[in-house]
Structures are given as C-alpha cells and as structure tokens.
Amino acid sequence: MIIPMNIREDDLYFTVSNMKKSQVNGAVISSEYVTKVVDILDTSSEMVKRSGMCDILYREGETLRGDIFSVRVLSEHLKDMMVNKIAIIGTNHYAKAFSLLACGFNVSYFNDSLEELMSFTQELELKDADINRIASDMSSDFSDFDVVLDFSDMASLSMVSALAKLSMDMKNNKQFSVLKNRALELNAEYVSYDGIIEKLTAKAYIEIKK
C-alpha cells in the first residue's frame, strides 16, 4: 500500500534519514521537497545527479537510493497524447530532468534570462537548442505549441497572450501556480501534478514493489 504522510519541512531530514532503519520499502517525495532530499541519499541515478532533484527513493538494506519517476510519467503521458511541440518555461531541476528525457519531442526553451538559458543548454549538452527570452516587457504567444510546461519561478505570466492547447506544471493543488492563474484568465486547459496523480501513484507502486 501507499500511505500519504504529512511531514513538516523541519522534520523532513529526520524522517527520511530514519527510513534506512524502517520497514518502509520506499517513498515518493512531493514537488516542494525534491531538491531537499538529494543530500540524504546514499546512492542516486545519473538523472538525479544531473538534475539536482529526486522524487522517489528506495530502501535497500540500510541505505537509500534515489531516482526520478514523475518526469518519466509526464513524458510518457505526453507521448500517449501524441504531443510534438513543447514550450518549456524556466531552467529549474524539473526542466533539466525533462530535457534529459525529451527525445522525440520538438522542444523550445523560454526564460527571462538568456544567459541562464545558455548555461542550461551547455550544462545539458543540448545542441542547437531553440532558446527564447520571455519577459514582462514583451508579448509571448504559445498558441503554436501543443503543450506549455512551466518549470519557472516567475511571479507572473501576464506577458503570455495565448497559451498552447494544454498547459502543465508539477505544482500540486496546494501550491500557488502562476500558470494555472494565466490559464484561467485565457480560458485555456491546465493540468497540475494532481491531474496525473493516478498515473503517478500507479508508476510509483510498480517501481517500489520491484
């Protein structure tokens, strides 16, 4: 079974560390804490090392091994929807993880800092990446894209004049989402982390049961 655990941020390190001596097989980490558990891991996948995030961990003996599963589920979900053109806003850990799995997609990258985008593409070795500036003093139209993925920390997306057929981020319903707000304003479809929760929990159960 999978049981939800409501843990205060102050208790996160203690709780996760003590899983090493528990009977728990693994844990799914919510989006608020995916960068905070990386230092607790004994071993981690290459994706965790390159992205700086971990959203699923496994207890192996008295050690913890970390990996990423939510971005894989998101990628598979988009492939099932026959998505081709994707706009990614931001350069955070989710953007890095998704880019490492973006084979088969036509991806364009947007950020308020072109310097950050350049560093991002160089770090991930993305050759000939389509990079674009997005800022409050310019209008941005995403209507030619199949999906917009917001992995940014932008305070507002008011500069977006039109969104894609679908807009998604990895925020749960308790987190504030500027993409959700803009989608409501533009009468566009928006899906959160909780919107694909059944696929996420099914995948997590299979992975941890292994």
Side-chain angles (χ1 to χ4, degrees):
M1 68 179 73
I2 296 178
I3 316 171
M5 296 179 68
N6 186 18
I7 301 168
R8 293 190 316 164
E9 186 171 351
D10 291 346
D11 296 330
L12 182 69
Y13 186 92
F14 174 81
T15 304
V16 175
S17 296
N18 279 286
M19 286 183 183
K20 298 179 182 183
K21 296 184 179 181
S22 74
Q23 296 302 308
V24 175
N25 295 324
V28 173
I29 310 299
S30 66
S31 56
E32 303 101 309
Y33 306 126
V34 293
T35 61
K36 299 182 183 296
V37 299
V38 174
D39 292 338
I40 308 174
L41 304 172
D42 296 289
T43 58
S44 56
S45 69
E46 191 63 27
M47 277 192 65
V48 170
K49 294 174 183 176
R50 295 190 67 184
S51 67
M53 65 169 279
C54 165
D55 62 11
I56 190 167
L57 53 87
Y58 310 91
R59 182 183 61 81
E60 297 177 342
E62 290 192 2
T63 66
L64 296 177
R65 175 174 60 86
D67 206 345
I68 295 173
F69 88 104
S70 63
V71 181
R72 297 183 192 277
V73 172
L74 175 60
S75 177
E76 291 167 4
H77 177 65
L78 296 179
K79 286 178 180 177
D80 289 344
M81 294 176 63
M82 306 298 287
V83 163
N84 177 27
K85 293 186 66 177
I86 298 176
I88 292 181
I89 305 173
T91 59
N92 75 359
H93 42 278
Y94 276 110
K96 290 178 181 178
F98 187 87
S99 297
L100 294 170
L101 293 172
C103 182
F105 295 122
N106 182 2
V107 181
S108 297
Y109 296 91
F110 295 81
N111 197 49
D112 53 356
S113 168
L114 286 178
E115 291 77 12
E116 283 185 16
L117 273 179
M118 290 293 292
S119 297
F120 174 87
T121 55
Q122 289 169 5
E123 179 185 347
L124 297 182
E125 299 176 344
L126 303 175
K127 296 181 179 179
D128 302 319
D130 179 23
I131 62 174
N132 307 271
R133 182 169 178 264
I134 180 172
S136 57
D137 59 351
M138 55 193 298
S139 177
S140 298
D141 185 338
F142 292 102
S143 58
D144 285 340
F145 292 92
D146 299 319
V147 175
V148 170
L149 300 177
D150 181 24
F151 298 139
S152 74
D153 58 359
M154 298 184 71
S156 171
L157 290 175
S158 58
M159 76 291 290
V160 176
S161 59
L163 282 165
K165 300 173 185 175
L166 175 64
S167 299
M168 299 184 72
D169 57 26
M170 297 305 283
K171 302 283 183 67
N172 62 50
N173 289 342
K174 292 182 179 180
Q175 292 176 283
F176 174 72
S177 168
V178 294
L179 182 64
K180 178 181 180 179
N181 276 11
R182 193 60 179 145
L184 288 171
E185 291 168 354
L186 296 174
N187 196 28
E189 184 180 358
Y190 164 80
V191 174
S192 67
Y193 181 96
D194 291 2
I196 55 171
I197 196 69
E198 290 188 11
K199 290 188 175 185
L200 289 163
T201 51
K203 181 68 171 177
Y205 178 78
I206 291 169
E207 292 297 316
I208 291 175
K209 194 175 180 183
K210 287 179 182 178

